[in-house]
Amino acid sequence: MLPVIKGWTWISTSVLLLAVTQIAFTSQHAARPRSISTPLTVLGSAVQQGAVCLDGSPPAYYWKHGTGNATNKWIIHQQGGGWCFDEDLCLKRSRTRLGSSTQFPKELTVTHMGVMSDDCGGNPDFCDFNVLYLPYCDGCSFSGNKDEPIVVNGTKIYFRGKRILDAIFNEFADLFKKADEVILTGCSAGGLATYLHADYPLPWLGKNTKYVALADAGYFIDAVNFKGVNVIRPRQQYVYKMQNASSGVNQDCIAAMSAEDQWKCFFAQ
């Protein structure tokens, strides 16, 4: 279920919502990649806001600064990595880089990362943009929002992906208000997050900001597989309920659904 789009009148009329399965940029004039390494920034203050990874560690981000005419242009990328479909899997995930910021790489190089690449030979349109890369550590497409942690085999597990999104956007609020262009993107589970949160950046942007939500390979459908079995629906329904995503996904979608169908707001379709 796509989010109900509201409030778009304050953004430029050139705003579009786009969905693609893959992003690739090529050029006949290959330039030598600059291979910029971007350091990890841990947002320790976010813990006080309840924004934590599965293991309770603070969220973090990588920020490649824009240059030249693109200093006020942004790509916000939500990392993918699937979901943890039950409590035990979330416990296991909490001990990996998909569940703990303590496991995140200390640096990120975006040279060969498609639309985020800093190689102007292969990515001439966006190579100079700011890239805000959001590492994925909540197991629910940045949508979990459960007040109290659960305890699995004596270990506390936190479901706070939506609060992570809130904390990072709050950190960049002043810069986003000045933005000329913003692209919200993500792949796989981050692509789903792009659909789920397509409207989310709007209140953070200036009235003249051009905004696009561009999902890369995140269109997971509620349908049967080749054996005639619907595998994804019960799994995503469980994740949705377990992580209390009803308060983390688009609230206009939630309001438009009956109580029995609100889980559909966790699907792109």
Side-chain angles (χ1 to χ4, degrees):
M1 181 71 188
L2 281 172
V4 179
I5 309 299
K6 294 184 66 177
W8 289 69
T9 53
W10 11 313
I11 308 297
S12 168
T13 55
S14 61
V15 172
L16 299 174
L17 177 66
L18 303 177
V20 297
T21 56
Q22 294 192 12
I23 306 171
F25 292 87
T26 59
S27 174
Q28 295 178 344
H29 307 287
R32 183 177 179 180
R34 289 178 288 168
S35 299
I36 297 174
S37 293
T38 303
L40 177 72
T41 299
V42 177
L43 195 56
S45 60
V47 175
Q48 297 178 351
Q49 305 169 43
V52 293
C53 298
L54 288 171
D55 71 334
S57 59
Y61 60 83
Y62 301 93
W63 177 18
K64 180 186 77 69
H65 292 245
T67 59
N69 293 328
T71 53
N72 289 322
K73 298 179 181 181
W74 293 80
I75 295 172
I76 305 170
H77 181 82
Q78 300 162 107
Q79 182 189 14
W83 309 272
C84 49
F85 293 114
D86 60 34
E87 292 82 355
D88 288 334
L89 290 174
C90 289
L91 173 62
K92 293 178 180 178
R93 190 183 185 97
S94 72
R95 297 165 177 162
T96 73
R97 67 173 56 183
L98 288 173
S100 174
S101 62
T102 65
Q103 304 292 321
F104 292 165
K106 299 305 180 185
E107 293 185 334
L108 178 74
T109 301
V110 299
T111 301
H112 302 295
M113 298 181 70
V115 71
M116 294 180 287
S117 176
D118 54 18
D119 175 11
C120 292
N123 184 29
D125 295 314
F126 305 105
C127 62
D128 290 331
F129 275 47
N130 292 278
V131 174
L132 182 60
Y133 186 100
L134 310 186
Y136 181 37
C137 66
D138 74 286
C140 189
S141 292
F142 295 89
S143 297
N145 197 16
K146 193 175 182 69
D147 288 333
E148 298 299 325
I150 65 170
V151 178
V152 184
N153 295 333
T155 300
K156 289 183 179 180
I157 300 297
Y158 299 82
F159 299 137
R160 306 279 181 78
K162 175 56 166 53
R163 300 184 197 191
I164 290 174
L165 207 59
D166 292 341
I168 293 176
F169 268 73
N170 187 62
E171 181 75 1
F172 286 84
D174 291 341
L175 292 173
F176 289 164
K177 280 295 182 184
K178 301 174 184 177
D180 297 325
E181 299 176 19
V182 172
I183 301 171
L184 179 70
T185 186
C187 65
S188 191
L192 176 62
T194 303
Y195 284 108
L196 301 180
H197 302 303
D199 287 358
Y200 178 82
L202 297 179
W204 302 89
L205 305 180
K207 64 179 181 180
N208 294 318
T209 303
K210 296 179 181 179
Y211 169 66
V212 173
L214 181 64
D216 178 11
Y219 196 73
F220 300 93
I221 62 173
D222 177 30
V224 298
N225 63 15
F226 69 97
K227 294 182 179 180
V229 179
N230 192 321
V231 176
I232 194 169
R233 179 190 291 185
R235 288 181 176 181
Q236 296 297 74
Q237 284 177 324
Y238 193 87
V239 173
Y240 171 86
K241 183 177 181 180
M242 175 180 67
Q243 294 225 18
N244 191 40
S246 60
S247 64
V249 297
N250 184 280
Q251 293 303 292
D252 288 326
C253 181
I254 292 293
M257 294 289 179
S258 66
E260 294 79 14
D261 287 338
Q262 288 179 350
W263 58 268
K264 294 180 179 180
C265 296
F266 195 51
F267 276 86
Q269 71 201 86

